[in-house]
Amino acid sequence: MLAVGAFAAVVGAGSAVALTETAPAAPTKILPPDSAVSPPWQGEKNNDAVNRGFEFTVPDADNLADFHGNPSHPALSLYVGGNYFFAMAPLVKAFEKKYPEYKGRLYWETLPPGLLVRQMKAGGTVTVGNMTWSVKPDVYLAGLGAVKKQISAGLLQAPAVPYVTNTLTIMVASDNPKGVKTLADLEREDIKLAMPNPEFEGITRQIQESLEKAGGKDLAQHVYHDKVGTGGTMLTHIHHRQTPLWIMQGKADAGVTWQSEAVFQEQAGHPIRHVDIPAAQNTTAIYAGAIVKGSQHRKAAQRWLDFIRSDEGVSIFKQYGFQKYEGKGA
């Protein structure tokens, strides 16, 4: 029988769990290089505002990590599926070099695509803590399927514009203490997982496809149902931020993410590495965007869509492992 102390440690991790003999052991705690900063990859580069006025940021207390720039009268507003938040700073910098009239006038959000749709349906209004503000988007960027869905729903204007692709990987701590080698290993009870939430994170569909390729429906069921029930799988709200953070904080041992997210963490020097998933078990996503119906800045919106699929835009994506979309227009 599991010791009471071990059970308390699992409950303290914040998951709803039941006392079972198969509850996983607590992961090893590995701190990022600068553990005082949370998340440790902010760097304040993802802010387009030129005049920042009085600056006040307190890690873990006052930190709006997925909102960028000045929401007051932007010249272009982008709702970006958050899993390439790290590529936005160099993309915006290059875009503004090409079109200097937009310098300091871009606003963008990097929440999961499903949550961005909820904000669009709320008229562009969002509340974080005690602050509420409204910025309607000009461009919505997510997976091709999600973009087509919102075109059909009447929120976006055709066509969907595809530009790059991405594949899945297994994110682990730099020394991979649990020896994770394959997707099938995620079934092990001694490996605690951070996995994207099926309710609003689109990547979940590709992950479940890959789990089924690696171990059939039983593996997908175990990772996304059985281990959730025992606390062995914690579901994220923003996987591209929570999965690496939970691994570095010792709350999780592994999680499936986009390859680009793991590459970024490695490039940033954080104690994260990735385990490749074989092509036969992997799933490729196509990223796309479309202009939002009623956009107030259509010219700027079209320029952004043209830029991110240009050679210059794609070269920035490739720095993080993305590949150019080579298919025909959707």
Side-chain angles (χ1 to χ4, degrees):
M1 179 66 72
L2 186 71
V4 173
F7 171 66
V10 174
V11 171
S15 300
V17 298
L19 180 58
T20 72
E21 293 182 341
T22 57
T28 303
K29 186 175 184 179
I30 301 172
L31 294 174
D34 184 358
S35 58
V37 180
S38 178
W41 49 81
Q42 279 292 93
E44 299 184 4
K45 295 179 180 177
N46 261 312
N47 182 359
D48 189 46
V50 176
N51 181 1
R52 301 187 183 185
F54 170 59
E55 294 201 34
F56 179 78
T57 302
V58 181
D60 284 335
D62 285 283
N63 185 355
L64 295 172
D66 278 299
F67 304 90
H68 315 273
N70 188 338
S72 178
H73 308 299
L76 176 61
S77 172
L78 307 169
Y79 279 16
V80 184
N83 50 58
Y84 65 79
F85 69 93
F86 41 85
M88 283 302 293
L91 285 169
V92 169
K93 183 178 180 180
F95 179 77
E96 291 181 342
K97 184 177 181 180
K98 184 177 180 69
Y99 301 107
E101 60 267 42
Y102 298 118
K103 185 168 179 56
R105 302 178 64 198
L106 265 64
Y107 171 84
W108 66 97
E109 300 185 6
T110 51
L111 297 174
L115 298 183
L116 292 172
V117 170
R118 293 186 187 184
Q119 186 180 347
M120 279 198 289
K121 291 180 177 178
T125 299
V126 62
T127 294
V128 180
N130 294 313
M131 181 177 175
T132 297
W133 69 99
S134 301
V135 181
K136 292 183 178 180
D138 296 302
V139 183
Y140 174 79
L141 302 119
L144 178 57
V147 172
K148 286 183 173 180
K149 180 179 179 181
Q150 298 311 322
I151 290 174
S152 298
L155 286 177
L156 307 178
Q157 175 182 312
V161 179
Y163 47 100
V164 293
T165 64
N166 206 354
T167 54
L168 299 171
T169 194
I170 305 172
M171 184 182 288
V172 297
S174 56
D175 57 352
N176 193 8
K178 294 296 176 67
V180 177
K181 297 179 180 177
T182 67
L183 284 172
D185 286 338
L186 304 187
E187 187 176 32
R188 287 166 39 192
E189 300 301 336
D190 66 320
I191 297 175
K192 192 156 187 173
L193 301 175
M195 300 294 285
N197 194 317
E199 183 178 354
F200 40 69
E201 296 200 81
I203 186 177
T204 307
R205 179 175 56 81
Q206 286 94 346
I207 292 175
Q208 290 182 327
E209 287 180 16
S210 286
L211 288 172
E212 291 186 14
K213 291 175 185 175
K217 292 186 180 298
D218 288 347
L219 178 59
Q221 169 78 9
H222 192 70
V223 168
Y224 260 111
H225 183 270
D226 300 346
K227 288 188 71 168
V228 172
T230 64
T233 293
M234 297 188 299
L235 298 178
T236 64
H237 282 72
I238 306 178
H239 79 273
H240 54 275
R241 296 191 182 278
Q242 290 176 305
T243 298
L245 199 58
W246 287 354
I247 290 173
M248 288 189 283
Q249 291 174 336
K251 295 178 180 178
D253 299 302
V256 181
T257 68
W258 295 117
Q259 183 185 37
S260 57
E261 294 157 1
V263 169
F264 163 71
Q265 296 294 340
E266 293 167 2
Q267 290 178 354
H270 299 145
I272 292 290
R273 59 172 283 197
H274 69 280
V275 177
D276 288 330
I277 298 172
Q281 298 175 0
N282 215 317
T283 303
T284 299
I286 302 171
Y287 288 66
I291 297 176
V292 178
K293 280 192 175 178
S295 165
Q296 298 298 305
H297 309 99
R298 292 185 55 81
K299 182 177 180 180
Q302 188 59 57
R303 282 178 166 178
W304 180 264
L305 288 174
D306 291 341
F307 172 74
I308 58 174
R309 59 178 173 168
S310 68
D311 289 345
E312 184 179 12
V314 170
S315 69
I316 293 172
F317 280 109
K318 283 187 173 180
Q319 296 173 19
Y320 305 100
F322 294 90
Q323 298 300 316
K324 183 178 181 179
Y325 175 73
E326 300 286 4
K328 297 181 179 179

